[in-house]
Structure formats: C-alpha cells, structure tokens
Amino acid sequence: MKTAVDNETYQSWFQPIVRAYSEPGNLDVFANEALFRLFDNENNMVPPNFVFNLAEQSGLLFSLDLIARKSAVEHAAKAGLHSKIFINFNPSSIYDPSYCLRSTASAISELGFQPQDIVFEVTETHQARDMNHLRGILAFYRSCGFGVALDDIGSGWSSLSMLAQLRPDYIKIDMELGRHIGSNQHKRNIVSHLIQLAHENGIAVIAEGAESQHEAQVLREIGADFLQGYYFAKPAALSSRFSNNLEDEITQGVKPLSNAAHKFDTL
C-alpha cells in the first residue's frame, strides 16, 4: 500500500448526489461524493475496505486519510467540478484538527474552492473511540465553514445516538434501507420516520440506494431532499478538462496535504 501511495497509483472517483426531483438524463447535481480508489502494480483496483483496514492496522490511517482528501480535491479541480464535494472521514483517524485544517484550507484555497464547497462525511461511525474529541473536531470544522454529514443512518442504534450528539448538516440514509423500499412497507416506515426526525432538527437528508425508478420515486414521495444511487449514476473517474500546465498547477496546489500526509507517515 505504501508503494502505491508513494507512486500515486490512486484516483478519486465521483458519484453524483442529485436533487430529489432529478431523473436520468436530466440530473440536477447538488454534490459529488469522492470515493478513494487505489491500484496495485498490475493496475487492479484494491478493495477500498481492505485498503483502509490495512492502513489502520499499520498505523497509517491518518496519512491515508490526508492522501484521500488530497486526491479528492485534486481530481475534483482537474475535472472542473462546481458542485459541493463530499469527502469521507473515518473517526479512527482522529488527529490534531487545527493542523489538518490548516493543510486542508490551504489546499482548497489554492484550487479555488471555498470551505462551504466541502462536506466531510463521517463514515464507520461505530469505530469512533472518543466521542467528545470527534464532536470537537467536527464543531471546529463547521465553525470554519465546512459542512458535516453522517453516513449510514439507520444501520444501527449507534448512528442514531451520534445524530443527536454531532448534529450534522446532512445525513445519508443507509443504502440497505433504500434498496427495494418500494416493495417493503417496513423499510418505507423506518425511512419516513428518519426523514421526519432529521427535518425536525434542520438536517437535510440524502437517501442512498436509489437503484431503480420505483425506489427513487418512493424516496422522493416520503421527503428525501437528495438521492444517490446507480439509477442516476455509478461512481466513475472523471476526465481532466485542462491542459498539462494547468494540471501541474493544480497538483502544486495540493502540496500542503501531501506534505502533511508524508510528515505523519515518517513519524
């Protein structure tokens, strides 16, 4: 894994998050989720869960988190994305928020993004070991203009507890609840109540797992604000829209995040 990172054999793929009234071929894209993809020496994609589990076991999760962040903003800039960018954040990679924020803010500013363009999506919420520290980190990020989202809401009691404690700007309904929701009244009831709970607390709702027209329609009817799923688009690498010289300028712009990642990699 370290060799792949050093050789930069990785990419960020993007999957759109669309406004609920969207239809394929007529998407109103609200945001794009950046998904980190790392490749081995034969250019085969390594399963993302394996990559992050290995990083955690090797004590490299913090560095990989920064590399994924750097990759997300770099590839978004090269693709000329103008939507919000959702970047995954693993609570197990808790670190000094002020140091990381300086690196992040410097990089996104160089690329022409604003803090409000970036939403940090908390994943693997059950792994959060220090809830007070995590709450402090997210409050610090939000105070600087970044958005915060919670992933996989509805997948367990812990996620509902974190909803109350972290008070995110967005929640993402677990994709397993979204799938086949049109033919499962129990799922429909659960998701409907989750959406109502979120809206009562001023939280916008992104429903994942929209795989078909029927699922998208049901999620739309019960009040989801945004939808994400294969019905609209699969995650994909995006082509650069700029010349080699401009690409080089973008690469230089994310140096603060690269330097921060390699600094901790050598500790």
Side-chain angles (χ1 to χ4, degrees):
M1 183 186 72
K2 187 176 184 302
T3 300
V5 169
D6 289 342
N7 293 337
E8 298 192 1
T9 55
Y10 55 78
Q11 292 179 323
S12 287
W13 291 9
F14 294 89
Q15 185 176 31
I17 298 167
V18 303
R19 298 187 189 277
Y21 54 75
S22 295
E23 290 291 349
N26 187 27
L27 301 183
D28 187 348
V29 177
F30 168 72
N32 279 274
E33 180 181 358
L35 300 161
F36 187 70
R37 299 291 185 255
L38 186 141
F39 301 87
D40 63 19
N41 292 335
E42 298 179 352
N43 204 34
N44 298 310
M45 186 175 71
V46 182
N49 285 343
F50 177 80
V51 172
F52 283 93
N53 287 338
L54 181 59
E56 184 172 13
Q57 294 168 16
S58 306
L60 297 173
L61 189 57
F62 173 75
S63 293
L64 189 63
D65 183 80
L66 286 175
I67 288 294
R69 188 174 298 189
K70 170 248 183 190
S71 177
V73 295
E74 180 179 6
H75 285 97
K78 289 179 177 178
L81 289 181
H82 298 294
S83 69
K84 289 183 183 293
I85 308 299
F86 277 58
I87 300 176
N88 292 331
F89 166 78
N90 190 310
S92 296
S93 64
I94 288 175
Y95 40 79
D96 175 7
S98 61
Y99 175 80
C100 186
L101 184 62
R102 287 195 301 273
S103 302
T104 302
S106 176
I108 69 167
S109 177
E110 284 290 328
L111 299 181
F113 292 113
Q114 300 296 321
Q116 58 266 29
D117 297 326
I118 307 298
V119 178
F120 288 103
E121 181 177 330
V122 183
T123 63
E124 304 293 340
T125 52
H126 64 279
Q127 295 187 21
R129 300 188 180 99
D130 187 336
M131 185 58 63
N132 288 332
H133 190 38
L134 176 59
R135 186 164 56 240
I137 288 175
L138 297 182
F140 184 60
Y141 272 41
R142 190 181 287 112
S143 71
C144 296
F146 295 98
V148 172
L150 282 188
D151 195 18
D152 296 336
I153 294 297
S155 62
W157 293 108
S158 62
S159 63
L160 291 178
S161 173
M162 291 186 77
L163 177 62
Q165 294 187 63
L166 300 180
R167 301 178 183 177
D169 304 295
Y170 309 89
I171 62 168
K172 299 184 80 173
I173 302 294
D174 181 52
M175 67 173 58
E176 288 304 319
L177 286 174
R179 287 175 177 159
H180 309 300
I181 191 171
S183 59
N184 189 315
Q185 188 62 41
H186 292 292
K187 285 187 175 183
R188 180 171 179 143
N189 291 340
I190 291 169
V191 174
S192 180
H193 281 90
L194 287 172
I195 291 172
Q196 181 181 352
L197 177 65
H199 286 170
E200 288 174 352
N201 288 276
I203 300 169
V205 177
I206 301 162
E208 296 185 291
E211 311 291 290
S212 70
Q213 183 180 21
H214 191 199
E215 290 167 351
Q217 180 61 31
V218 171
L219 291 166
R220 186 181 298 126
E221 289 173 355
I222 60 178
D225 301 292
F226 308 101
L227 303 176
Q228 182 177 4
Y230 282 11
Y231 176 61
F232 301 103
K234 295 181 179 180
L238 302 181
S239 300
S240 174
R241 297 179 56 189
F242 301 108
S243 66
N244 289 338
N245 287 340
L246 284 175
E247 280 196 19
D248 290 342
E249 289 182 17
I250 291 170
T251 300
Q252 288 300 313
V254 294
K255 282 294 184 183
L257 284 170
S258 296
N259 294 338
H262 289 300
K263 172 184 176 181
F264 278 81
D265 186 32
T266 58
L267 293 180

mmCIF file of all heavy atoms in Angstrom, residues 172-204:
data_model
loop_
_atom_site.group_PDB
_atom_site.id
_atom_site.type_symbol
_atom_site.label_atom_id
_atom_site.label_comp_id
_atom_site.label_asym_id
_atom_site.label_seq_id
_atom_site.Cartn_x
_atom_site.Cartn_y
_atom_site.Cartn_z
ATOM 1 N N LYS A 172 -27.043 10.709 5.633
ATOM 2 C CA LYS A 172 -27.233 9.816 4.491
ATOM 3 C C LYS A 172 -27.897 8.545 5.003
ATOM 4 O O LYS A 172 -27.362 7.851 5.865
ATOM 5 C CB LYS A 172 -25.887 9.515 3.826
ATOM 6 C CG LYS A 172 -25.206 10.772 3.281
ATOM 7 C CD LYS A 172 -23.919 10.458 2.543
ATOM 8 C CE LYS A 172 -24.210 9.980 1.139
ATOM 9 N NZ LYS A 172 -22.960 9.837 0.343
ATOM 10 N N ILE A 173 -29.093 8.272 4.497
ATOM 11 C CA ILE A 173 -29.827 7.073 4.885
ATOM 12 C C ILE A 173 -29.102 5.852 4.334
ATOM 13 O O ILE A 173 -28.733 5.803 3.155
ATOM 14 C CB ILE A 173 -31.270 7.115 4.349
ATOM 15 C CG1 ILE A 173 -31.999 8.361 4.859
ATOM 16 C CG2 ILE A 173 -32.017 5.851 4.736
ATOM 17 C CD1 ILE A 173 -32.245 8.402 6.334
ATOM 18 N N ASP A 174 -28.896 4.866 5.185
ATOM 19 C CA ASP A 174 -28.181 3.647 4.798
ATOM 20 C C ASP A 174 -28.776 3.043 3.528
ATOM 21 O O ASP A 174 -29.997 2.916 3.391
ATOM 22 C CB ASP A 174 -28.254 2.642 5.943
ATOM 23 C CG ASP A 174 -27.512 1.364 5.640
ATOM 24 O OD1 ASP A 174 -26.332 1.426 5.267
ATOM 25 O OD2 ASP A 174 -28.141 0.279 5.732
ATOM 26 N N MET A 175 -27.905 2.680 2.596
ATOM 27 C CA MET A 175 -28.374 2.211 1.290
ATOM 28 C C MET A 175 -29.215 0.945 1.384
ATOM 29 O O MET A 175 -30.086 0.705 0.543
ATOM 30 C CB MET A 175 -27.205 2.014 0.324
ATOM 31 C CG MET A 175 -26.263 0.914 0.657
ATOM 32 S SD MET A 175 -25.060 0.666 -0.687
ATOM 33 C CE MET A 175 -24.301 2.289 -0.808
ATOM 34 N N GLU A 176 -28.992 0.121 2.401
ATOM 35 C CA GLU A 176 -29.797 -1.094 2.519
ATOM 36 C C GLU A 176 -31.256 -0.768 2.826
ATOM 37 O O GLU A 176 -32.148 -1.548 2.499
ATOM 38 C CB GLU A 176 -29.211 -2.000 3.613
ATOM 39 C CG GLU A 176 -27.902 -2.668 3.218
ATOM 40 C CD GLU A 176 -28.036 -3.483 1.929
ATOM 41 O OE1 GLU A 176 -29.065 -4.168 1.763
ATOM 42 O OE2 GLU A 176 -27.112 -3.430 1.094
ATOM 43 N N LEU A 177 -31.487 0.371 3.455
ATOM 44 C CA LEU A 177 -32.867 0.796 3.688
ATOM 45 C C LEU A 177 -33.500 1.334 2.408
ATOM 46 O O LEU A 177 -34.713 1.212 2.215
ATOM 47 C CB LEU A 177 -32.913 1.863 4.782
ATOM 48 C CG LEU A 177 -32.690 1.394 6.215
ATOM 49 C CD1 LEU A 177 -32.620 2.576 7.165
ATOM 50 C CD2 LEU A 177 -33.792 0.428 6.656
ATOM 51 N N GLY A 178 -32.689 1.929 1.557
ATOM 52 C CA GLY A 178 -33.207 2.473 0.306
ATOM 53 C C GLY A 178 -33.527 1.416 -0.723
ATOM 54 O O GLY A 178 -34.484 1.555 -1.504
ATOM 55 N N ARG A 179 -32.753 0.344 -0.730
ATOM 56 C CA ARG A 179 -32.964 -0.701 -1.726
ATOM 57 C C ARG A 179 -34.275 -1.443 -1.477
ATOM 58 O O ARG A 179 -34.581 -1.832 -0.353
ATOM 59 C CB ARG A 179 -31.793 -1.684 -1.697
ATOM 60 C CG ARG A 179 -30.523 -1.105 -2.308
ATOM 61 C CD ARG A 179 -29.356 -2.036 -2.165
ATOM 62 N NE ARG A 179 -28.173 -1.503 -2.811
ATOM 63 C CZ ARG A 179 -26.929 -1.882 -2.525
ATOM 64 N NH1 ARG A 179 -26.715 -2.800 -1.586
ATOM 65 N NH2 ARG A 179 -25.897 -1.354 -3.155
ATOM 66 N N HIS A 180 -35.044 -1.625 -2.547
ATOM 67 C CA HIS A 180 -36.324 -2.355 -2.522
ATOM 68 C C HIS A 180 -37.345 -1.693 -1.603
ATOM 69 O O HIS A 180 -38.286 -2.355 -1.145
ATOM 70 C CB HIS A 180 -36.112 -3.809 -2.092
ATOM 71 C CG HIS A 180 -35.039 -4.524 -2.875
ATOM 72 N ND1 HIS A 180 -35.100 -4.688 -4.243
ATOM 73 C CD2 HIS A 180 -33.857 -5.081 -2.467
ATOM 74 C CE1 HIS A 180 -34.010 -5.333 -4.649
ATOM 75 N NE2 HIS A 180 -33.242 -5.569 -3.600
ATOM 76 N N ILE A 181 -37.182 -0.411 -1.324
ATOM 77 C CA ILE A 181 -38.100 0.262 -0.414
ATOM 78 C C ILE A 181 -39.516 0.309 -0.976
ATOM 79 O O ILE A 181 -40.501 0.344 -0.230
ATOM 80 C CB ILE A 181 -37.591 1.693 -0.089
ATOM 81 C CG1 ILE A 181 -38.381 2.302 1.072
ATOM 82 C CG2 ILE A 181 -37.640 2.594 -1.326
ATOM 83 C CD1 ILE A 181 -37.810 3.606 1.578
ATOM 84 N N GLY A 182 -39.639 0.245 -2.294
ATOM 85 C CA GLY A 182 -40.957 0.307 -2.910
ATOM 86 C C GLY A 182 -41.822 -0.896 -2.613
ATOM 87 O O GLY A 182 -43.052 -0.807 -2.638
ATOM 88 N N SER A 183 -41.196 -2.034 -2.305
ATOM 89 C CA SER A 183 -41.948 -3.261 -2.038
ATOM 90 C C SER A 183 -41.852 -3.697 -0.583
ATOM 91 O O SER A 183 -42.246 -4.813 -0.245
ATOM 92 C CB SER A 183 -41.438 -4.387 -2.951
ATOM 93 O OG SER A 183 -40.050 -4.603 -2.733
ATOM 94 N N ASN A 184 -41.317 -2.816 0.275
ATOM 95 C CA ASN A 184 -41.131 -3.183 1.682
ATOM 96 C C ASN A 184 -41.673 -2.058 2.561
ATOM 97 O O ASN A 184 -41.029 -1.034 2.748
ATOM 98 C CB ASN A 184 -39.640 -3.430 1.951
ATOM 99 C CG ASN A 184 -39.378 -4.019 3.328
ATOM 100 O OD1 ASN A 184 -39.946 -3.567 4.310
ATOM 101 N ND2 ASN A 184 -38.494 -5.001 3.386
ATOM 102 N N GLN A 185 -42.877 -2.287 3.094
ATOM 103 C CA GLN A 185 -43.537 -1.245 3.885
ATOM 104 C C GLN A 185 -42.772 -0.932 5.165
ATOM 105 O O GLN A 185 -42.763 0.216 5.627
ATOM 106 C CB GLN A 185 -44.960 -1.671 4.225
ATOM 107 C CG GLN A 185 -45.796 -0.579 4.884
ATOM 108 C CD GLN A 185 -45.994 0.644 3.994
ATOM 109 O OE1 GLN A 185 -46.215 0.515 2.786
ATOM 110 N NE2 GLN A 185 -45.901 1.843 4.576
ATOM 111 N N HIS A 186 -42.119 -1.943 5.756
ATOM 112 C CA HIS A 186 -41.346 -1.705 6.977
ATOM 113 C C HIS A 186 -40.204 -0.721 6.707
ATOM 114 O O HIS A 186 -39.976 0.216 7.491
ATOM 115 C CB HIS A 186 -40.788 -3.025 7.522
ATOM 116 C CG HIS A 186 -41.842 -3.946 8.031
ATOM 117 N ND1 HIS A 186 -42.592 -3.686 9.156
ATOM 118 C CD2 HIS A 186 -42.285 -5.143 7.562
ATOM 119 C CE1 HIS A 186 -43.445 -4.683 9.368
ATOM 120 N NE2 HIS A 186 -43.276 -5.581 8.405
ATOM 121 N N LYS A 187 -39.484 -0.921 5.597
ATOM 122 C CA LYS A 187 -38.415 -0.001 5.240
ATOM 123 C C LYS A 187 -38.968 1.400 4.996
ATOM 124 O O LYS A 187 -38.394 2.396 5.423
ATOM 125 C CB LYS A 187 -37.665 -0.493 3.991
ATOM 126 C CG LYS A 187 -36.727 -1.656 4.230
ATOM 127 C CD LYS A 187 -35.912 -1.930 2.978
ATOM 128 C CE LYS A 187 -34.876 -3.021 3.221
ATOM 129 N NZ LYS A 187 -34.019 -3.242 2.031
ATOM 130 N N ARG A 188 -40.088 1.444 4.303
ATOM 131 C CA ARG A 188 -40.687 2.753 4.000
ATOM 132 C C ARG A 188 -41.036 3.501 5.285
ATOM 133 O O ARG A 188 -40.784 4.703 5.414
ATOM 134 C CB ARG A 188 -41.926 2.563 3.141
ATOM 135 C CG ARG A 188 -42.605 3.880 2.772
ATOM 136 C CD ARG A 188 -43.703 3.689 1.756
ATOM 137 N NE ARG A 188 -44.344 4.977 1.434
ATOM 138 C CZ ARG A 188 -44.766 5.318 0.238
ATOM 139 N NH1 ARG A 188 -44.622 4.483 -0.774
ATOM 140 N NH2 ARG A 188 -45.339 6.489 0.038
ATOM 141 N N ASN A 189 -41.596 2.787 6.270
ATOM 142 C CA ASN A 189 -41.957 3.417 7.535
ATOM 143 C C ASN A 189 -40.724 3.922 8.278
ATOM 144 O O ASN A 189 -40.722 5.030 8.823
ATOM 145 C CB ASN A 189 -42.723 2.428 8.418
ATOM 146 C CG ASN A 189 -44.107 2.108 7.882
ATOM 147 O OD1 ASN A 189 -44.658 2.865 7.074
ATOM 148 N ND2 ASN A 189 -44.670 0.986 8.314
ATOM 149 N N ILE A 190 -39.677 3.102 8.297
ATOM 150 C CA ILE A 190 -38.454 3.471 9.012
ATOM 151 C C ILE A 190 -37.824 4.704 8.373
ATOM 152 O O ILE A 190 -37.474 5.674 9.058
ATOM 153 C CB ILE A 190 -37.456 2.292 9.025
ATOM 154 C CG1 ILE A 190 -37.982 1.168 9.917
ATOM 155 C CG2 ILE A 190 -36.077 2.755 9.510
ATOM 156 C CD1 ILE A 190 -37.203 -0.126 9.789
ATOM 157 N N VAL A 191 -37.680 4.680 7.056
ATOM 158 C CA VAL A 191 -37.031 5.800 6.366
ATOM 159 C C VAL A 191 -37.875 7.060 6.496
ATOM 160 O O VAL A 191 -37.359 8.159 6.700
ATOM 161 C CB VAL A 191 -36.769 5.455 4.889
ATOM 162 C CG1 VAL A 191 -36.238 6.671 4.134
ATOM 163 C CG2 VAL A 191 -35.779 4.300 4.788
ATOM 164 N N SER A 192 -39.177 6.916 6.403
ATOM 165 C CA SER A 192 -40.061 8.066 6.540
ATOM 166 C C SER A 192 -39.887 8.735 7.899
ATOM 167 O O SER A 192 -39.813 9.972 7.997
ATOM 168 C CB SER A 192 -41.518 7.628 6.355
ATOM 169 O OG SER A 192 -42.396 8.733 6.495
ATOM 170 N N HIS A 193 -39.790 7.937 8.957
ATOM 171 C CA HIS A 193 -39.601 8.494 10.296
ATOM 172 C C HIS A 193 -38.216 9.119 10.461
ATOM 173 O O HIS A 193 -38.075 10.150 11.133
ATOM 174 C CB HIS A 193 -39.840 7.421 11.355
ATOM 175 C CG HIS A 193 -41.298 7.160 11.611
ATOM 176 N ND1 HIS A 193 -42.015 6.217 10.905
ATOM 177 C CD2 HIS A 193 -42.182 7.727 12.472
ATOM 178 C CE1 HIS A 193 -43.268 6.205 11.326
ATOM 179 N NE2 HIS A 193 -43.402 7.115 12.281
ATOM 180 N N LEU A 194 -37.200 8.512 9.853
ATOM 181 C CA LEU A 194 -35.855 9.087 9.920
ATOM 182 C C LEU A 194 -35.823 10.452 9.225
ATOM 183 O O LEU A 194 -35.203 11.399 9.717
ATOM 184 C CB LEU A 194 -34.837 8.146 9.276
ATOM 185 C CG LEU A 194 -34.476 6.881 10.069
ATOM 186 C CD1 LEU A 194 -33.603 5.956 9.214
ATOM 187 C CD2 LEU A 194 -33.759 7.236 11.363
ATOM 188 N N ILE A 195 -36.484 10.547 8.085
ATOM 189 C CA ILE A 195 -36.532 11.818 7.351
ATOM 190 C C ILE A 195 -37.264 12.874 8.176
ATOM 191 O O ILE A 195 -36.815 14.020 8.287
ATOM 192 C CB ILE A 195 -37.201 11.621 5.980
ATOM 193 C CG1 ILE A 195 -36.302 10.771 5.070
ATOM 194 C CG2 ILE A 195 -37.498 12.971 5.321
ATOM 195 C CD1 ILE A 195 -36.953 10.365 3.759
ATOM 196 N N GLN A 196 -38.376 12.479 8.777
ATOM 197 C CA GLN A 196 -39.125 13.420 9.606
ATOM 198 C C GLN A 196 -38.282 13.899 10.781
ATOM 199 O O GLN A 196 -38.253 15.099 11.095
ATOM 200 C CB GLN A 196 -40.402 12.756 10.119
ATOM 201 C CG GLN A 196 -41.261 13.673 10.989
ATOM 202 C CD GLN A 196 -42.520 12.976 11.493
ATOM 203 O OE1 GLN A 196 -42.845 11.866 11.085
ATOM 204 N NE2 GLN A 196 -43.226 13.622 12.411
ATOM 205 N N LEU A 197 -37.580 12.967 11.441
ATOM 206 C CA LEU A 197 -36.722 13.319 12.566
ATOM 207 C C LEU A 197 -35.632 14.292 12.142
ATOM 208 O O LEU A 197 -35.355 15.284 12.837
ATOM 209 C CB LEU A 197 -36.090 12.046 13.149
ATOM 210 C CG LEU A 197 -35.096 12.227 14.300
ATOM 211 C CD1 LEU A 197 -35.788 12.798 15.520
ATOM 212 C CD2 LEU A 197 -34.448 10.883 14.634
ATOM 213 N N ALA A 198 -35.019 14.037 11.004
ATOM 214 C CA ALA A 198 -33.955 14.911 10.514
ATOM 215 C C ALA A 198 -34.497 16.305 10.217
ATOM 216 O O ALA A 198 -33.921 17.319 10.627
ATOM 217 C CB ALA A 198 -33.315 14.312 9.266
ATOM 218 N N HIS A 199 -35.599 16.365 9.505
ATOM 219 C CA HIS A 199 -36.167 17.658 9.131
ATOM 220 C C HIS A 199 -36.593 18.470 10.350
ATOM 221 O O HIS A 199 -36.456 19.703 10.365
ATOM 222 C CB HIS A 199 -37.348 17.455 8.186
ATOM 223 C CG HIS A 199 -36.933 17.056 6.804
ATOM 224 N ND1 HIS A 199 -37.828 16.626 5.842
ATOM 225 C CD2 HIS A 199 -35.705 17.036 6.210
ATOM 226 C CE1 HIS A 199 -37.178 16.357 4.727
ATOM 227 N NE2 HIS A 199 -35.884 16.591 4.925
ATOM 228 N N GLU A 200 -37.088 17.795 11.379
ATOM 229 C CA GLU A 200 -37.467 18.496 12.603
ATOM 230 C C GLU A 200 -36.264 19.133 13.289
ATOM 231 O O GLU A 200 -36.416 20.069 14.082
ATOM 232 C CB GLU A 200 -38.164 17.529 13.567
ATOM 233 C CG GLU A 200 -39.573 17.145 13.120
ATOM 234 C CD GLU A 200 -40.193 16.077 13.994
ATOM 235 O OE1 GLU A 200 -39.474 15.514 14.853
ATOM 236 O OE2 GLU A 200 -41.394 15.793 13.818
ATOM 237 N N ASN A 201 -35.073 18.606 12.978
ATOM 238 C CA ASN A 201 -33.848 19.134 13.567
ATOM 239 C C ASN A 201 -33.011 19.936 12.573
ATOM 240 O O ASN A 201 -31.828 20.187 12.805
ATOM 241 C CB ASN A 201 -33.015 17.979 14.146
ATOM 242 C CG ASN A 201 -33.625 17.410 15.413
ATOM 243 O OD1 ASN A 201 -33.419 17.927 16.498
ATOM 244 N ND2 ASN A 201 -34.399 16.340 15.272
ATOM 245 N N GLY A 202 -33.635 20.335 11.451
ATOM 246 C CA GLY A 202 -32.962 21.183 10.482
ATOM 247 C C GLY A 202 -31.856 20.506 9.708
ATOM 248 O O GLY A 202 -30.911 21.162 9.258
ATOM 249 N N ILE A 203 -31.951 19.188 9.520
ATOM 250 C CA ILE A 203 -30.920 18.409 8.835
ATOM 251 C C ILE A 203 -31.446 17.963 7.472
ATOM 252 O O ILE A 203 -32.558 17.428 7.366
ATOM 253 C CB ILE A 203 -30.536 17.170 9.669
ATOM 254 C CG1 ILE A 203 -30.000 17.596 11.044
ATOM 255 C CG2 ILE A 203 -29.508 16.312 8.931
ATOM 256 C CD1 ILE A 203 -29.847 16.442 12.016
ATOM 257 N N ALA A 204 -30.665 18.176 6.429
ATOM 258 C CA ALA A 204 -31.037 17.728 5.083
ATOM 259 C C ALA A 204 -30.754 16.238 4.934
ATOM 260 O O ALA A 204 -29.806 15.710 5.530
ATOM 261 C CB ALA A 204 -30.278 18.521 4.033
#
